[in-house]
Amino acid sequence: MNTFHRSRATRSEAAFSLLETLIAFAVLIGAFAVFFQLYHSALNYSSRTQREVIAANVAQRQLVKLRGWTSLPQGSGLGFDDWSAYKDVKFDDEEFPEYKVRIRSNFTPVISPSSLLVDGGNQKTLESTYRKVQITVSWTQGSFEIVALVADPTRQLRDVDPVVVEGPAGTVPKDGTMPFTVKVYDTMGREIPDIMAHWYVSPIDGTGKISSDVEGTTATFVNISEKMNKTVQYTGGRCRVTARVNYRGQEVWGESDILVLQN
């Protein structure tokens, strides 16, 4: 009788041990499944991150090359003068051919920071100095894009008459006006856009009044003068109209022909 009970207990313990073993195997298999799923996700994330890093480097390298190209001589000007080749172009990257590069560009107006401080909101807008460039790098699983402004490279001003003040010459009647425009040229004879000029009258033996927009490229001379007490006078004599230009740290001047003032 005791032998029977011991045999039955032994069988129960063996069955319980087998059940524990099966449960342990199930838990282990589940753990391995979770581990491999996490490992696979980590590999995918690492691969995606690596591709994005490569795409970012490709885009940055293309932007550096593009900025260098703008300063290279192209015909009668620089690369920046003609963006037709980069208006919308697609090509394979030379180092990573599996990455496709697309470059798009267009002029974008930018408000001069210094003019934001002017009372009355008389702001100076730069219309032709900056290009907005979009560089998109794509591959099979995704894409990466950067947007940047590319500025007109600093030009070397020509040695003779870099600043030209254009306008009529001769006699100006009392209260008469004369319009003037300033242009600045580089060594290749190209007119530099978005110039900012300060205008004033340079007396010889007479003077008048100048009016212009804030740092504008145009001005109007008026044959009238005001004394300190605000009374009006007409000096007669002669004078010139002068435009002073500060081009990226280099200050240059230009003068009009002689104006003869009636009084």
Side-chain angles (χ1 to χ4, degrees), residues 175-251:
D175 296 319
T177 61
M178 283 191 171
F180 290 92
T181 302
V182 63
K183 295 181 180 180
V184 180
Y185 295 91
D186 63 14
T187 53
M188 291 175 284
R190 175 186 178 274
E191 182 184 348
I192 299 175
D194 297 329
I195 286 298
M196 300 183 185
H198 292 280
W199 295 86
Y200 54 93
V201 178
S202 297
I204 299 175
D205 49 16
T207 189
K209 182 179 178 180
I210 198 80
S211 63
S212 69
D213 293 334
V214 176
E215 295 187 333
T217 55
T218 61
T220 300
F221 173 83
V222 185
N223 182 8
I224 191 173
S225 181
E226 293 182 352
K227 297 181 180 180
M228 294 294 292
N229 60 5
K230 302 299 182 179
T231 59
V232 173
Q233 68 174 354
Y234 302 94
T235 64
R238 299 165 298 162
C239 68
R240 295 178 186 269
V241 172
T242 300
R244 177 168 56 88
V245 176
N246 192 319
Y247 176 65
R248 301 187 180 180
Q250 184 177 358
E251 200 166 55

Side-chain angles (χ1 to χ4, degrees), residues 3 25 27-28 39-40 52 85 88 96 106 124 156 172 206 220 235 240-241 246 253 259-260:
T3 303
F25 270 115
V27 171
L28 184 62
Y39 180 71
H40 185 263
E52 288 177 352
D88 190 349
F96 300 94
N106 59 281
K124 172 67 175 178
Q156 183 178 355
V172 187
T220 300
T235 64
R240 295 178 186 269
V241 172
N246 192 319
W253 290 264
L259 301 179
V260 180

